[in-house]
Amino acid sequence: MSRSIRFIALTLALLTTASPALASVNEPPPGKAALYPQADDARQRIDAALARAKADNTRVMIQWGDDWCGWCVKLHDLCGRDRDVSRKLLYDYEVVLVPVGRFDRNLDIATAYQADFKGNGVPFLTVLDADGTVIANQETGSLEKDGGHDPMKVMAFLTAHQATPRDAAGSLKKALESSKTSGRPVMLHFGAPWCGWCHRLEAWMTEPPVKAILERHLVDCKIDTDRDTGGKAIFEAYTKGASTGIPWFVFLAGDGSTLATSDGPDGNVGFPSTDGEIDAFTTALKQADPTFTDAELQTLADSLIANRKAREAKAKAARDARAAKDALKKEGA
């Protein structure tokens, strides 16, 4: 069935449905978990994705749709089920699911990006460059095959619009030049798309109080060991082949000499979490740039401690929820 026909059929169904059902049209089908965030925060989520894309040299892909849309669910399932598609999205895209409601939500955003999902139906895809420029708008009817979406067609679309890999040596050269000009040392940190602790470190570094302090003292340079051309070789050159894990970072003077690394007394601190790791991290910062004040270092340490406590609280809440669910199952048995 073509997109336009499916859209017309959906519209007629909505118009002829009784009001109680119409009121719940945004609800997912029975037994299906909600996928599309229904809060009015789509613009914020897109902006956050653009910021991550800029840092990671990736694209943002908006998937317009809603929970009532079976084809939206099918595409989402494919993205999680197919290994190649899932990896491509993890490595090269920030995916943002934006609800369309009854084709009456987030129309201002759609207009800004020339996304005509009203005329083409959903799911509808918009790919953005990290600066918010529209790279592609894509109806998904042409990506279908045999009652679903064709993984090969989806992969071809994603591959055609992915960002050009960064040159790791060029990124490092630019950072060292900035260091020479500003007098601030370079914080060269290594990560990869699959590394959860790397993402946590990068997210923490963008928190406003943290970012303000780090930018006063350091030149930020991230190298992706998997995606950046020559990234793995530079990582191995600095670690001398030692198995340190990632995230790993090194502080460099403008001439390229090493001032400090993330290797503390107990090994690589990665994203500092324990008290010992946090102490080793703040010590390395002070070693790299003695102008860090005690108050600044304490602010950073307190932020890392708060981050740890938030993760622990979230993990406890998840455990409690599972325990409550298991208890209900036992009562019903």
Side-chain angles (χ1 to χ4, degrees), residues 202-265:
E202 293 153 16
W204 174 77
M205 291 174 67
T206 64
E207 293 178 7
V210 173
K211 184 178 180 180
I213 294 173
L214 295 181
E215 285 185 343
R216 281 198 294 270
H217 295 275
L218 303 170
V219 174
D220 178 45
C221 180
K222 175 191 173 181
I223 288 182
D224 190 313
T225 58
D226 282 18
R227 295 182 64 249
D228 292 354
T229 303
K232 186 176 180 181
I234 292 178
F235 173 67
E236 291 177 345
Y238 277 105
T239 59
K240 298 178 174 58
S243 179
T244 62
I246 53 175
W248 186 85
F249 47 89
V250 56
F251 298 99
L252 304 172
D255 62 3
S257 59
T258 297
L259 300 171
T261 73
S262 59
D263 292 327

Side-chain angles (χ1 to χ4, degrees), residues 92-108:
D92 292 298
Y93 287 89
E94 295 286 339
V95 179
V96 183
L97 275 63
V98 176
V100 301
R102 303 168 192 167
F103 293 92
D104 59 358
R105 291 190 63 187
N106 294 305
L107 298 182
D108 56 334

Side-chain angles (χ1 to χ4, degrees), residues 300-333:
L300 297 178
D302 290 343
S303 176
L304 288 166
I305 292 170
N307 190 292
R308 178 184 69 204
K309 289 181 177 179
R311 291 197 312 274
E312 291 173 346
K314 185 177 181 180
K316 182 178 183 302
R319 290 195 300 272
D320 291 345
R322 287 195 298 269
K325 186 176 181 180
D326 290 342
L328 286 174
K329 284 183 179 180
K330 288 182 180 179
E331 290 179 5

Side-chain angles (χ1 to χ4, degrees), residues 56-58 83 87-88 90-92 162-168 189-196 198-199 202 222-236 245-247:
D56 295 339
N57 185 42
T58 55
R83 184 173 182 176
R87 186 180 189 277
K88 177 61 67 177
L90 173 66
Y91 271 56
D92 292 298
Q162 68 187 43
T164 302
R166 285 184 299 208
D167 175 62
H189 52 106
F190 297 88
W194 49 264
C195 172
C198 301
H199 293 302
E202 293 153 16
K222 175 191 173 181
I223 288 182
D224 190 313
T225 58
D226 282 18
R227 295 182 64 249
D228 292 354
T229 303
K232 186 176 180 181
I234 292 178
F235 173 67
E236 291 177 345
I246 53 175

Side-chain angles (χ1 to χ4, degrees), residues 7-298:
F7 171 66
I8 293 171
L10 171 64
T11 304
L12 290 173
L14 293 178
L15 292 174
T16 57
T17 302
S19 58
L22 187 61
S24 62
V25 69
N26 294 345
E27 297 295 326
K32 290 288 186 179
L35 299 176
Y36 282 80
Q38 295 299 320
D40 293 326
D41 62 351
R43 180 74 269 174
Q44 295 177 358
R45 291 187 291 111
I46 293 171
D47 288 343
L50 287 169
R52 293 191 299 271
K54 186 173 184 179
D56 295 339
N57 185 42
T58 55
R59 304 284 200 211
V60 171
M61 186 176 78
I62 301 174
Q63 181 177 319
W64 309 90
D66 223 310
D67 287 326
W68 51 259
C69 168
W71 282 92
C72 301
V73 175
K74 285 184 178 183
L75 181 58
H76 186 272
D77 288 347
L78 171 71
C79 291
R81 182 183 71 254
D82 186 272
R83 184 173 182 176
D84 292 335
V85 173
S86 177
R87 186 180 189 277
K88 177 61 67 177
L89 290 172
L90 173 66
Y91 271 56
D92 292 298
Y93 287 89
E94 295 286 339
V95 179
V96 183
L97 275 63
V98 176
V100 301
R102 303 168 192 167
F103 293 92
D104 59 358
R105 291 190 63 187
N106 294 305
L107 298 182
D108 56 334
I109 302 175
T111 298
Y113 293 136
Q114 302 93 47
D116 184 18
F117 58 74
K118 292 185 73 173
N120 290 282
V122 289
F124 187 86
L125 305 177
T126 298
V127 176
L128 305 176
D129 198 350
D131 64 2
T133 300
V134 177
I135 301 299
N137 274 308
Q138 176 68 43
E139 51 74 33
T140 54
S142 60
L143 304 182
E144 295 172 10
K145 181 181 179 182
D146 298 332
H149 296 92
D150 187 340
M152 293 183 65
K153 292 180 179 179
V154 174
M155 271 295 293
F157 171 76
L158 296 175
T159 301
H161 301 296
Q162 68 187 43
T164 302
R166 285 184 299 208
D167 175 62
S171 297
L172 178 55
K173 180 181 178 181
K174 183 179 179 180
L176 290 172
E177 290 173 349
S178 178
S179 176
K180 290 178 182 178
T181 302
S182 66
R184 294 174 294 148
V186 174
M187 181 178 176
L188 173 62
H189 52 106
F190 297 88
W194 49 264
C195 172
W197 286 105
C198 301
H199 293 302
R200 288 172 181 164
L201 173 65
E202 293 153 16
W204 174 77
M205 291 174 67
T206 64
E207 293 178 7
V210 173
K211 184 178 180 180
I213 294 173
L214 295 181
E215 285 185 343
R216 281 198 294 270
H217 295 275
L218 303 170
V219 174
D220 178 45
C221 180
K222 175 191 173 181
I223 288 182
D224 190 313
T225 58
D226 282 18
R227 295 182 64 249
D228 292 354
T229 303
K232 186 176 180 181
I234 292 178
F235 173 67
E236 291 177 345
Y238 277 105
T239 59
K240 298 178 174 58
S243 179
T244 62
I246 53 175
W248 186 85
F249 47 89
V250 56
F251 298 99
L252 304 172
D255 62 3
S257 59
T258 297
L259 300 171
T261 73
S262 59
D263 292 327
D266 299 318
N268 177 28
V269 303
F271 175 45
S273 182
T274 67
D275 290 341
E277 290 170 346
I278 293 171
D279 288 342
F281 177 60
T282 55
T283 298
L285 289 173
K286 188 74 171 181
Q287 186 177 345
D289 183 3
T291 68
F292 271 105
T293 67
D294 291 342
E296 288 174 326
L297 294 175
Q298 188 61 54

